[in-house]
Amino acid sequence: MNRRTEGMLGVVAAQTMLGTLGLCVLESGADPVSVAFYRCAIGGLALTFYCFWRGDLVGIVRLPPRTLLLAVFSGALIAVNWVLFFEGIRRTGIAVATIVVHIQPFIVVLMGAAVFRERLQAVTLMWIALALIGLVLSTGLTAADLSGSNAYLAGIGITLAAAVLYAAVTVIAKGISGIKAPQLASLQFLTGALVLTAAAPLAPQDLALPQWGWLMIIGLVHTGGVYVVLYGALPKLATPVIAVLLFLYPASAVVVDAVAYGRLIGPGQFAGLLLIVLASLGVTLGWGPRLRTAV
């Protein structure tokens, strides 16, 4: 098996597995704060062990103060992001929440333009506008929904807030240097666990045995395992291949939601997903004329 095939299989396995995350969150029966806490704690410990196994654990202690500060701050953002995302899943369903949160790459582009003074191409703004249209379609909201306040509408807003926080984490990570990805992730997750202790998650003795099973899957498989697989797989692939394969996550989430709970997305929502995918590929791969505009 060649390097490219190994990378593709790794990303396919990781993204498909992530599509089952929402199922485990709902089946655990725990509140979003508790699920996020145990995901951070279990996943963080798993990645710390991975760093120890690779001989990278000592390097964390030698990191510059600025790098540690940014890692800790981004870890706090990740913790809140996961709480909001899990709450969005509870309110809107696995498929819709996962599609909505995938607006995050476009928020990163806009944040990058603001923080790093990056100039945006006019065609990039066009792709972002197309993604926003896709976002509106993917929510399935009607005029009647917008006229009142309900749990579904609140869930969309909560999920968008999660996307903004995750985009902020991505932008912060762009400014961090001198740290390996597993080191950064372990610091972020352990920091997230510490932050969430203040929100009073369920104590270990308050969790039933089946709940422990779901939470262990979330922490060991969806967090520690998936991250390790992606660390090894992504460097083996070109950007165009990665850009396409990353959308296996929302696609598999749609399938899981339909099979497990019978929630099928409508034609309009499916069209919205396709628009988001198209726009993301357009931005990532640089499709369109190279015309620039100042922002």
Side-chain angles (χ1 to χ4, degrees), residues 214-272:
W214 291 112
L215 293 174
M216 291 297 288
I217 292 173
I218 292 171
L220 293 177
V221 178
H222 293 110
T223 310
V226 164
Y227 274 72
V228 168
V229 170
L230 287 177
Y231 295 150
L234 292 178
K236 300 175 183 179
L237 298 174
T239 298
V241 178
I242 294 173
V244 174
L245 293 180
L246 289 183
F247 279 96
L248 286 173
Y249 178 10
S252 58
V254 169
V255 174
V256 168
D257 210 11
V259 173
Y261 302 108
R263 288 192 287 244
L264 300 172
I265 63 172
Q269 292 174 295
F270 184 73

Side-chain angles (χ1 to χ4, degrees), residues 275-292:
L275 287 179
I276 293 175
V277 171
L278 177 63
S280 181
L281 292 175
V283 169
T284 304
L285 304 181
W287 291 344
R290 298 285 179 174
L291 299 177
R292 292 185 177 274

Side-chain angles (χ1 to χ4, degrees), residues 138-189:
S138 66
T139 63
L141 289 172
T142 64
D145 295 322
L146 294 174
S147 64
S149 176
N150 54 43
Y152 187 86
L153 185 58
I156 296 297
I158 290 170
T159 308
L160 282 174
V164 171
L165 287 181
Y166 193 67
V169 171
T170 304
V171 172
I172 291 173
K174 186 176 181 179
I176 299 178
S177 60
I179 184 173
K180 297 180 180 179
Q183 293 174 326
L184 176 59
S186 61
L187 278 174
Q188 289 173 325
F189 298 161

Side-chain angles (χ1 to χ4, degrees), residues 46-57 228:
L47 286 173
T48 300
F49 177 78
Y50 178 70
C51 288
F52 173 77
W53 177 68
R54 287 170 51 95
D56 294 333
L57 200 56
V228 168

